[in-house]
Amino acid sequence: MGFLTAGIVRTALEVGLIYSLVALSLFMSFSILNVCDLSTDGCYTLGCAVGAVVTIAGHPLLAIPLAMGAGVCSGFVTATLQTRFGVQSILAGIIVNTGLYTINLAVMGFSSNVSIFGTDTIFSMFGSLSPSDFWHDWSSLILLFVILTLLCLIIRWFLSTRLGLSIRATGDSMAMVRASSINPAVMITAGLCLSNSLTGLAGCLIGQYNKTCDINLGTGMVTVALASLVIGETISGRRRMTLRIFCVVLGSCLYRMIISIALRLNVPTEAFKLVSAVIVCVAIAAPEARKMVGFHARKAAAVYTRRKVVRGGEKDAEN
Amino acid sequence: MLKIEDISKTFHPGTVNEKKALDHLTLELMDGDFCTIVGSNGAGKSTMFNAIAGSFYCDEGYIELDGEDITYVPEHKRSRYIGRLFQDPLMGTAPGMTIEENLAVAYLRSSRFRQGIFSRVSRREKAMFREHLSLLGMGLEDRMSSPVGLLSGGQRQALTLLMATMVTPKLLMLDEHTAALDPGTAAKVLALTDQIIKERHISCLMVTHNMNQALEMGNRTIMMSDGRIVFDVSGSERENMTVGDLLEHFAAGAGRQFNNDRILLSTRQEC
């Protein structure tokens, strides 16, 4: 048995793909719209709770649009607070996040845990399409891969439409947007609704994947997603949009792989939050550290050459 | 076409920082007028522009554009008819987006999402952007897909000018838009401004600290001080006016010496 078995890699990729939806959501709000949306944790749990309740009711497919719709509502509230009532974006996110805790409990029927064992999920439905062993093992990953590829293409297309361009411009230059007769408040609202719908979808999928929903599921999610996003943006180097979107997904998968490796190295689960934090720091610091190393190498080389020239000159003078 | 009646604006009322930025200001601009505005720092020139653009609502008074009362119309709706350039060349463009995307956003003013918010920039529009860009004579038409952040200040200001006028505005407001550019580029952008304004017959307000420019460009010059217009000249009186006369008028109108270094310095340079 190798260090990383196929099963471990598969699980890491599956979870990585689901988490990448949250990373894409932050990509929309944080990178594109330049708004710090901290309601991610609560919104993720909301998606999971709504998804779980609808799935238990026997509609695993219907759970997806409903969870996304719940995300849209949450994003709308966050956006309204900051655009209409002048609440600072970070504060607006925290307020919504706090309020969502109660709402999530209410959705789950005021219990902190909901189990969806024994009912169909989209994964079990897709898995039952073929009885073969291969399909049994890989169907979930294939399904997620298809969903993510489609979503990335949709996001790419969306960002090049008139609405998408306006949203990008809002994050890039508010003055220009106002001068172009676009209402920035509407664009921020549209952007946050969209981004939170992705978070809701991620929550729904993770609920059906784990067949459970816990009220504390989302805690720390924003850090994880930010880590994935930063890793992705470091890889893509902020170049072309298509590349950036796919690299966010790649970043999320990479992050899960790192976590899997940490698991294999017997890092205790209690230390995981610290591991996440360190990964975020390393990912953010990496480009800067690389620059610093390059600079010092160049400086050392220059000093060395200069010293040689000076010494050579002195020798010439002695002769 | 632009009618400003008796507008006032006081910032931080009731505090020690209270500042009456606009003091019962009245101004009427005829269709096709190109009016240059001079005045020392703090005279209220930019505040007047902000009032017209709708960055804030006035405490009192009335603003009308082309027969339509815009006193309480929000800024983003006014910008459909009002183009504006700032002194800072970085303000009017989105640095992270390509030239083409910037133009596409600016062009939204014409369509008002009429083709649908999910439609993309068509090939015909792209060709039109290219054509517009080539008029700038800066070679930008071959760099449509490079980010605007890579352009120089002069190129960005020229691009902003293009974006502000691509959909012909009813009113163009230029707030010292060449002040941050080197003399050569400034002259080029200024010539371009003049050309576009004349070709499209756009009414224009231009703030400048250069007295020669104030008299040479346009058909009317006004001078502001303490939130009021203290001097207004056009026609033959203006044609016969020298920079010295203008400075004298200012001293008389404001009741004090003209003590702005930038204006005194800029009277000496030729441009």
Side-chain angles (χ1 to χ4, degrees), chain B residues 119-193:
Chain B
S119 64
R120 300 173 68 168
V121 180
S122 68
R123 198 165 292 171
R124 219 182 78 232
E125 282 169 334
K126 275 183 197 174
M128 189 200 69
F129 295 160
R130 238 184 120 79
E131 200 180 305
H132 274 286
L133 278 171
S134 64
L135 294 179
L136 297 181
M138 290 179 164
L140 293 183
E141 63 274 19
D142 299 322
R143 299 173 61 187
M144 297 264 285
S145 53
S146 53
V148 168
L150 298 180
L151 303 184
S152 72
Q155 287 171 328
R156 278 181 81 163
Q157 199 64 306
L159 182 63
T160 315
L161 177 67
L162 183 63
M163 285 164 60
T165 55
M166 193 161 54
V167 180
T168 308
K170 289 177 179 169
L171 175 69
L172 182 65
M173 297 196 292
L174 309 166
D175 195 349
E176 282 192 74
H177 70 304
T178 58
L181 310 179
D182 70 72
T185 316
K188 197 169 180 182
V189 170
L190 213 59
L192 213 58
T193 312

Side-chain angles (χ1 to χ4, degrees), chain B residues 29-61:
Chain B
L29 209 61
M30 294 300 145
D31 202 17
D33 258 358
F34 183 168
C35 178
T36 57
I37 304 169
V38 291
S40 51
N41 294 327
K45 306 181 298 293
S46 297
T47 313
M48 180 175 82
F49 274 16
N50 283 335
I52 298 171
S55 306
F56 56 75
Y57 298 120
C58 294
D59 297 335
E60 50 185 320

Side-chain angles (χ1 to χ4, degrees), chain A residues 156-166 168-170 172-173 175-184 187, chain B residues 75-76 79-80 91-97 101-102 104-106 108-109 112 115-120 125 163:
Chain A
R156 176 68 194 96
W157 163 81
F158 174 77
L159 286 176
S160 64
T161 61
R162 285 169 213 276
L163 180 60
L165 280 179
S166 308
R168 286 178 58 197
T170 308
D172 213 8
S173 169
M176 171 208 176
V177 162
R178 281 202 204 94
S180 305
S181 195
I182 299 165
N183 188 351
M187 290 307 137
Chain B
E75 184 177 14
H76 66 90
S79 61
R80 219 181 143 185
M91 269 191 83
T93 42
M97 296 168 72
E101 288 166 342
N102 268 276
V105 171
L108 285 178
R109 281 164 61 215
R112 207 64 234 137
Q115 294 114 313
I117 52 174
F118 294 120
S119 64
R120 300 173 68 168
E125 282 169 334
M163 285 164 60

Side-chain angles (χ1 to χ4, degrees), chain B:
Chain B
M1 59 107 35
L2 174 73
K3 206 189 271 178
I4 303 174
E5 266 173 34
D6 218 22
I7 57 167
S8 296
K9 177 71 186 178
T10 306
F11 289 114
H12 314 294
T15 69
V16 281
N17 294 323
E18 182 172 304
K19 163 107 179 103
K20 190 144 197 160
L22 292 178
D23 188 4
H24 298 281
L25 184 141
T26 298
L27 172 71
E28 189 162 355
L29 209 61
M30 294 300 145
D31 202 17
D33 258 358
F34 183 168
C35 178
T36 57
I37 304 169
V38 291
S40 51
N41 294 327
K45 306 181 298 293
S46 297
T47 313
M48 180 175 82
F49 274 16
N50 283 335
I52 298 171
S55 306
F56 56 75
Y57 298 120
C58 294
D59 297 335
E60 50 185 320
Y62 171 82
I63 305 175
E64 185 185 291
L65 182 68
D66 218 15
E68 189 192 345
D69 179 5
I70 59 165
T71 318
Y72 295 106
V73 173
E75 184 177 14
H76 66 90
K77 285 195 180 145
R78 291 190 207 187
S79 61
R80 219 181 143 185
Y81 313 107
I82 301 177
R84 191 176 184 190
L85 263 73
F86 299 91
Q87 183 181 350
D88 183 354
L90 309 185
M91 269 191 83
T93 42
M97 296 168 72
T98 66
I99 295 179
E100 185 183 295
E101 288 166 342
N102 268 276
L103 287 168
V105 171
Y107 194 61
L108 285 178
R109 281 164 61 215
S110 76
S111 63
R112 207 64 234 137
F113 293 131
R114 207 169 292 142
Q115 294 114 313
I117 52 174
F118 294 120
S119 64
R120 300 173 68 168
V121 180
S122 68
R123 198 165 292 171
R124 219 182 78 232
E125 282 169 334
K126 275 183 197 174
M128 189 200 69
F129 295 160
R130 238 184 120 79
E131 200 180 305
H132 274 286
L133 278 171
S134 64
L135 294 179
L136 297 181
M138 290 179 164
L140 293 183
E141 63 274 19
D142 299 322
R143 299 173 61 187
M144 297 264 285
S145 53
S146 53
V148 168
L150 298 180
L151 303 184
S152 72
Q155 287 171 328
R156 278 181 81 163
Q157 199 64 306
L159 182 63
T160 315
L161 177 67
L162 183 63
M163 285 164 60
T165 55
M166 193 161 54
V167 180
T168 308
K170 289 177 179 169
L171 175 69
L172 182 65
M173 297 196 292
L174 309 166
D175 195 349
E176 282 192 74
H177 70 304
T178 58
L181 310 179
D182 70 72
T185 316
K188 197 169 180 182
V189 170
L190 213 59
L192 213 58
T193 312
D194 208 37
Q195 182 196 338
I196 290 177
I197 288 170
K198 279 190 181 131
E199 268 174 18
R200 314 264 202 87
H201 200 68
I202 303 170
S203 307
C204 177
L205 288 170
M206 176 170 105
V207 169
T208 177
H209 278 300
N210 184 319
M211 290 293 148
N212 290 306
Q213 219 176 64
L215 288 177
E216 272 164 24
M217 295 197 64
N219 60 351
R220 183 177 170 190
T221 299
I222 61 176
M223 194 170 262
M224 287 185 70
S225 177
D226 295 324
R228 284 175 297 123
I229 293 174
V230 290
F231 181 61
D232 188 342
V233 63
S234 56
S236 59
E237 191 189 350
R238 181 171 180 269
E239 273 162 35
N240 299 323
M241 195 160 233
T242 63
V243 170
D245 297 336
L246 197 61
L247 288 170
E248 261 172 45
H249 270 287
F250 186 90
R256 61 182 162 89
Q257 272 298 312
F258 209 13
N259 59 355
N260 187 327
D261 291 345
R262 272 179 80 189
I263 291 185
L264 293 177
L265 285 172
S266 60
T267 54
R268 296 198 191 105
Q269 75 188 24
E270 284 301 314
C271 179

